[in-house]
Amino acid sequence: MVKRTLIDRTPEPRRVPDAGLTEVASGNPTACLGALPPPHQPRGRGARSNITGRYETRSHEIFDVGWTDGDPVPPQLRTVTIKDSSRTIVTTNNSPDISFSHSINPYRGCEHGCVYCYARPSHAYWGYSPGLDFESVIFIKPEAPALLEKLFLKPRYRPEPIVIGANTDPYQPRERELQTTRELLKVFARFNHPVSFITKSALCLRDLDILAPMAAKGLVRAAVSITTLDRKLARDMEPRAATPAKRLDAVRGLTEAGIPVTVMAAPMIPALNDRELEAILDASAEAGATSAGYVLLRLPLEIKDLFKEWLVTTRPDSASHVMSLIRQTRGGQEYDASWGKRGRGDGPYAKLIAARFRKAVSRLGLNRPAPGLRVDLFERPLGTATQASLF
């Protein structure tokens, strides 16, 4: 075996977690961290690299130190958690492309590892990579339920529907043990406060004992993301999320408990999963969904490079075709952040997807407006600081 001679351009190398390679800092701000070559790609992860975040003053790139396929594979990349000591819990937005104004994210980062996730760039703000760090370094918020109750107890607080999981999934794997989302729901239930959540996990069925009574009062609704019905494609794109069948089970279980469910066929990726649009909507309607939405793939900031790395390693024969069609839906670019176009795109191909969606939801009755959530039932329970008990 002939090993390549490599030059270390920095005295401060660091180890790429579990990669079996060495990552070195580079003074070139445009350097791009390439995808990890087999067999060093971490199993069960969506990203293929730990691409440098846009706020870093130094970028990193991988170089070969001579390891081969015959060398031992490094141990599996483990997920670590970091306590988030935020003092507030509700985020507001005024985006015309978003149907809600108030949201809570119990976790930063998401272990589901969806390669296309629009939340990945947010990890760069905290000094972590939108790549492998995003799905293996998870910020947790154990104080979230207490912060929410503190907000509800403020005399001037006026209830507005709040969405849980607008950025990262509130029912990602860590929720099974931490139960932060469950404790948040208990606070919503105690105060009769309207809430909705977005997930691609069947773990939400665990909380039907809280959700069903709230649904009977018109206080809750759910959105379930179903990207594909193909198990293999789902495993490749969303390695630690629930299988498509489990997500349909979640739709069915939520519906049977009286909770209105919107199915999000999102994102639709040209030449990859967009052919399944009608099949996803058919299966969702059969499972009991009452409404549906879709989003065309978005590739802002670091996501475009992460997605292209993933395409090259998992779908090499179709990678160039997929990217060509994506550019056709974005005016020749890989992304267009214009209001009204971010989630829908433009051009003939994007308009065709939109027309197919409208026809399908009309046929299936999934174009009915989602029921509004009641705000008039909000009350501070007896025994709280602002509503003292008589006894």
Side-chain angles (χ1 to χ4, degrees):
M1 178 184 69
V2 177
K3 295 185 179 181
R4 284 178 280 172
T5 301
L6 301 157
I7 300 175
D8 187 344
R9 293 175 291 174
T10 173
E12 303 176 3
R14 71 182 180 91
R15 192 71 173 169
V16 179
D18 203 37
L21 300 174
T22 297
E23 185 183 4
V24 297
S26 167
N28 177 8
T30 63
C32 177
L33 178 62
L36 303 177
H40 304 293
Q41 292 171 4
R43 299 187 306 276
R45 300 295 180 175
R48 296 299 188 259
S49 72
N50 230 16
I51 191 169
T52 305
R54 63 195 179 282
Y55 295 113
E56 303 306 305
T57 57
R58 305 170 74 190
S59 61
H60 297 79
E61 55 189 66
I62 288 175
F63 71 97
D64 185 1
V65 292
W67 298 105
T68 70
D69 290 357
D71 293 300
V73 177
Q76 183 67 6
L77 178 63
R78 303 297 180 187
T79 300
V80 297
T81 57
I82 299 174
K83 182 179 178 181
D84 184 329
S85 56
S86 298
R87 296 184 179 181
T88 59
I89 191 62
V90 176
T91 300
T92 60
N93 78 84
N94 59 1
S95 169
D97 288 338
I98 300 177
S99 60
F100 54 86
S101 58
H102 294 69
S103 61
I104 292 175
N105 291 290
Y107 306 98
R108 300 185 196 274
C110 185
E111 202 173 1
H112 282 161
C114 305
V115 68
Y116 53 73
C117 182
Y118 59 78
R120 283 183 178 274
S122 64
H123 236 47
Y125 181 79
W126 305 101
Y128 289 87
S129 170
L132 290 171
D133 282 349
F134 175 80
E135 52 197 278
S136 62
V137 181
I138 310 298
F139 290 80
I140 62 175
K141 303 180 182 180
E143 303 302 321
L147 291 172
L148 183 63
E149 181 166 338
K150 182 179 179 180
L151 173 65
F152 289 171
L153 288 175
K154 290 183 177 180
R156 293 187 179 181
Y157 178 76
R158 296 295 179 268
E160 296 261 359
I162 294 176
V163 175
I164 303 180
N167 203 43
T168 56
D169 202 310
Y171 284 106
Q172 60 179 283
R174 291 288 152 170
E175 169 62 18
R176 191 174 300 278
E177 57 194 62
L178 298 175
Q179 299 195 17
T180 306
T181 298
R182 180 174 174 82
E183 293 303 314
L184 284 169
L185 290 175
K186 289 180 181 179
V187 176
F188 281 105
R190 285 179 52 225
F191 285 80
N192 282 330
H193 193 291
V195 63
S196 60
F197 62 88
I198 306 171
T199 187
K200 57 183 60 173
S201 171
L203 182 58
C204 59
L205 298 179
R206 176 201 64 185
D207 296 336
L208 289 182
D209 60 321
I210 303 172
L211 296 169
M214 293 185 71
K217 300 177 183 179
L219 292 173
V220 66
R221 63 173 180 246
V224 177
S225 172
I226 302 179
T227 312
T228 177
L229 300 179
D230 183 333
R231 282 178 61 102
K232 185 179 186 309
L233 179 58
R235 183 63 179 265
D236 288 341
M237 287 198 305
E238 310 154 334
R240 298 197 177 192
T243 64
K246 286 291 187 181
R247 293 185 222 181
L248 288 171
D249 287 344
V251 174
R252 191 172 293 107
L254 292 167
T255 300
E256 291 174 353
I259 302 162
V261 179
T262 296
V263 163
M264 293 300 299
M268 286 289 100
I269 306 173
L272 195 61
N273 71 337
D274 65 318
R275 65 183 181 278
E276 296 185 69
L277 177 58
E278 289 82 0
I280 292 170
L281 297 175
D282 285 339
S284 301
E286 189 278 331
T290 55
S291 58
Y294 85 97
V295 176
L296 191 65
L297 177 67
R298 296 170 53 194
L299 295 176
L301 303 171
E302 294 92 348
I303 301 178
K304 61 179 179 296
D305 289 330
L306 289 165
F307 183 74
K308 287 187 288 186
E309 287 175 357
W310 177 87
L311 269 180
V312 168
T313 57
T314 60
R315 300 293 188 276
D317 294 338
S318 59
S320 60
H321 180 52
V322 171
M323 290 307 303
S324 174
L325 290 176
I326 288 173
R327 287 190 289 271
Q328 289 179 41
T329 66
R330 302 293 181 180
Q333 305 299 312
E334 291 174 346
Y335 184 56
D336 180 356
S338 302
W339 298 123
K341 294 183 179 180
R342 296 190 304 166
R344 293 290 184 267
D346 199 7
Y349 201 94
K351 291 177 180 178
L352 177 60
I353 293 176
R356 289 169 53 202
F357 175 80
R358 289 193 300 268
K359 184 175 181 179
V361 296
S362 177
R363 170 174 57 85
L364 297 167
L366 292 175
N367 56 352
R368 292 165 290 178
L373 296 176
R374 298 186 64 176
V375 297
D376 58 307
L377 298 180
F378 176 77
E379 62 179 356
R380 297 175 179 88
L382 293 176
T384 58
T386 58
Q387 188 73 6
S389 172
L390 296 175
F391 304 98

